[in-house]
């Protein structure tokens, strides 16, 4: 998948970050309604794989970012460390 290609996940229109090492939409996801926030996932000490997408939520067209995680425990780590 090219970093410039968007796709729909059902709930979101997604645009992959060109910095993603893994261009996969993982099972565990967090939507943050801050489209311009800088999110440094590598600095958060996550245990599993992760990916970041610019996102538009289909339900209300809210713009933001979607972070997806391979490990469920990384969701709690992200929520504790993320500050917009």
């Amino acid at each position: 998948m090219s970093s410039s290609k968007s796709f729909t996940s059902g709930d979101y229109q997604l645009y992959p970050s060109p910095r993603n090492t893994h261009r996969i939409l993982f099972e565990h996801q967090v939507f943050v309604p801050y489209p311009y926030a800088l999110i440094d996932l590598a600095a958060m000490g996550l245990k599993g794989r992760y990916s970041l997408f610019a996102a538009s939520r289909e339900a209300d067209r809210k713009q933001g970012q979607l972070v997806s995680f391979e490990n469920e425990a990384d969701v709690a780590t992200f929520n504790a460390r993320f500050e917009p």
Side-chain angles (χ1 to χ4, degrees):
M1 167 173 45
S2 170
S3 63
S4 63
K5 304 265 183 185
S6 68
F7 64 97
T8 303
S9 72
D11 295 328
Y12 302 96
Q13 180 74 30
L14 299 171
Y15 304 85
S17 169
R19 298 182 329 180
N20 280 344
T21 302
H22 309 286
R23 299 182 192 277
I24 301 168
L25 183 62
F26 296 106
E27 178 181 0
H28 309 288
Q29 304 165 3
V30 176
F31 178 78
V32 292
Y34 306 102
Y36 303 109
L38 296 176
I39 301 175
D40 187 3
L41 293 169
M44 291 191 179
L46 303 171
K47 302 297 182 196
R49 299 183 301 169
Y50 51 82
S51 57
L52 177 65
F53 301 88
S56 175
R57 192 166 45 198
E58 295 289 332
D60 59 2
R61 304 307 294 170
K62 179 76 175 170
Q63 301 294 309
Q65 298 180 68
L66 185 76
V67 187
S68 72
F69 305 95
E70 181 178 44
N71 295 338
E72 187 174 7
D74 286 340
V75 172
T77 302
F78 174 79
N79 286 332
R81 295 184 180 175
F82 174 71
E83 292 183 23

